[in-house]
Amino acid sequence: MHEWAWRGWWPLGGIIWLAFLGLAIVGLVTVVRWLFGDKGPNRRAPSSALAILEERYARGEINREEYDQRRRDLTV
């Protein structure tokens, strides 16, 4: 009797095992990205909008009037 009951549940056991394996892999990837993700040589700290505006003004992409207007818009 117990043998027949177990045979009905074994596909569910395989699905649960695959779900557990998938969660373990996702968890491992998340931990590795959390530990090492922000320290690569190609990573830059995200710039604020004001810092980007100042860089554009310094490079000459925008003039003084446009810089002043956008700065007022950002600081309000």
Side-chain angles (χ1 to χ4, degrees):
M1 174 91 166
H2 296 292
E3 184 178 326
W4 289 103
W6 177 248
R7 285 187 188 182
W9 286 96
W10 80 268
L12 184 60
I15 292 170
I16 291 173
W17 173 247
L18 288 175
F20 173 75
L21 189 60
L23 284 173
I25 291 171
V26 168
L28 182 64
V29 169
T30 302
V31 168
V32 168
R33 289 183 71 187
W34 178 67
L35 289 174
F36 304 107
D38 295 334
K39 298 178 183 176
N42 296 329
R43 290 288 196 136
R44 288 181 30 190
S47 299
S48 69
L50 193 56
I52 294 171
L53 180 64
E54 291 171 354
E55 288 174 7
R56 290 187 64 200
Y57 180 64
R59 285 193 299 258
E61 295 178 9
I62 57 176
N63 59 21
R64 180 70 182 186
E65 293 81 25
E66 188 175 359
Y67 170 78
D68 289 336
Q69 177 61 42
R70 291 182 185 216
R71 184 173 178 176
R72 279 191 302 265
D73 292 342
L74 289 172
T75 55
V76 171

